[in-house]
Amino acid sequence: MRLFLKDLCLFKTQSERACRHDRLHHLTRVALPGTLSWKVLEPCLGRVSGREWRPGARPPVSPPRGTCASVLARSLAAPGCMAHMFVYGTLKTGQPNHWVLLESAHGRAAFRGWGRTVEPYPLVIAGQCNIPRLLNLPGQGRRVAGEVYAVDEQMLRFLDEFEGCPDMYQRTRVTVAVEGEGGTLQCFVYSTATYPPEWVHLPYHDDYDSQGEHGLRYSPRESR
């Protein structure tokens, strides 16, 4: 009887390991190292595999070839898998669209701190609706202040749609110096890569406020 129970426990342990390995194999086959999808997935691999593993190190298994962003979105159901998002405009605390980060129906968003971009960028207020735009011109403009949030895949998908990505904004990467921590984070940010040439000559801002001294009041979506 003891021998039977020992064999049963061994079988259970081996089965659990196999399930974890199959789950990891499914996750890694949808993204290649160095791609945007892989950077979102990378921090989750240690938890899924059950091994001690640091982001940036060699993955626990070798990822097979091929990518698929749609499968990746479904696969990121692994508990605790979050991405950092840097917000600099109307999504900030006290600004007109901050409420979307507080709505649980949109997904999860947890405040991680205040910060500034390591590189300067042109932050302008443009268009008939006076919308803040971070022009994708690193090295030009000012170091932009904002807030860092950890968001789950559901919130990320919602924000993509809310921000009109990839048509109105493009979700890119930016390095943010986090206040009080003395370190930096790689964050997603909604920036603008295509714009009228005259936007480059608009006044640059470093800390957006819809009620600021610039006098350019943001036009809410419901009033457009």
Side-chain angles (χ1 to χ4, degrees), residues 33 47 83 89 96 99 114 116 123 136 154 164 167 171-172 177 207-208:
R47 285 188 293 274
W99 65 273
W114 293 275
R116 284 186 182 270
L123 172 58
N136 194 6
Q154 181 182 349
D167 299 322
R171 175 155 53 89
T172 55
D207 194 355
Y208 174 78

Side-chain angles (χ1 to χ4, degrees), residues 149-166:
Y149 289 84
V151 300
D152 65 4
E153 181 66 19
Q154 181 182 349
M155 179 63 79
L156 202 57
R157 288 196 301 265
F158 172 82
L159 291 175
D160 279 351
E161 182 177 355
F162 184 81
E163 297 287 5
C165 179

Side-chain angles (χ1 to χ4, degrees), residues 8-9 24 30 35 58 60 82 86 89 91 97 100 113 115 117 122 129-130 132 164 166 173 186 193 220:
L8 182 62
C9 291
L24 180 62
V30 301
T35 65
R58 184 174 180 177
M82 309 284 275
F86 178 70
L91 292 175
N97 292 324
V100 304
T117 58
C129 298
N130 294 326
R173 287 271 181 174
Q186 289 291 312

Side-chain angles (χ1 to χ4, degrees), residues 24-219:
L24 180 62
H25 178 81
H26 172 68
L27 284 169
T28 54
R29 72 184 174 84
V30 301
L32 287 176
T35 65
L36 193 60
S37 298
W38 180 264
K39 291 177 182 178
V40 176
L41 174 63
E42 191 180 34
C44 305
L45 292 177
R47 285 188 293 274
V48 176
S49 67
R51 304 181 190 179
E52 182 179 356
W53 185 71
R54 300 182 304 278
R58 184 174 180 177
V61 296
S62 299
R65 300 173 183 175
T67 64
C68 180
S70 60
V71 178
L72 176 67
R74 295 194 298 271
S75 298
L76 285 179
C81 187
M82 309 284 275
H84 288 114
M85 175 67 69
F86 178 70
V87 300
Y88 57 86
T90 63
L91 292 175
K92 293 195 304 182
T93 303
Q95 300 304 311
N97 292 324
H98 179 66
W99 65 273
V100 304
L101 295 176
L102 306 178
E103 178 56 65
S104 59
H106 300 158
R108 295 173 55 200
F111 178 73
R112 288 292 181 260
W114 293 275
R116 284 186 182 270
T117 58
V118 171
E119 289 188 278
Y121 285 86
L123 172 58
V124 301
I125 302 174
Q128 294 181 347
C129 298
N130 294 326
I131 298 174
R133 301 276 198 148
L134 188 74
L135 306 185
N136 194 6
L137 291 172
Q140 184 173 336
R142 302 183 180 183
R143 293 184 61 201
V144 177
E147 299 171 350
V148 176
Y149 289 84
V151 300
D152 65 4
E153 181 66 19
Q154 181 182 349
M155 179 63 79
L156 202 57
R157 288 196 301 265
F158 172 82
L159 291 175
D160 279 351
E161 182 177 355
F162 184 81
E163 297 287 5
C165 179
D167 299 322
M168 183 173 178
Y169 290 94
Q170 294 77 47
R171 175 155 53 89
T172 55
R173 287 271 181 174
V174 66
T175 304
V176 177
V178 182
E179 292 184 8
E181 295 188 4
T184 61
L185 283 175
Q186 289 291 312
C187 301
F188 285 128
V189 68
Y190 291 102
S191 62
T192 303
T194 56
Y195 45 82
E198 58 269 22
W199 284 13
V200 178
H201 305 293
L202 293 173
Y204 295 162
H205 305 269
D206 63 350
D207 194 355
Y208 174 78
D209 183 354
S210 62
Q211 301 294 320
E213 295 180 356
H214 49 73
L216 301 172
R217 299 292 177 261
Y218 172 77
S219 178

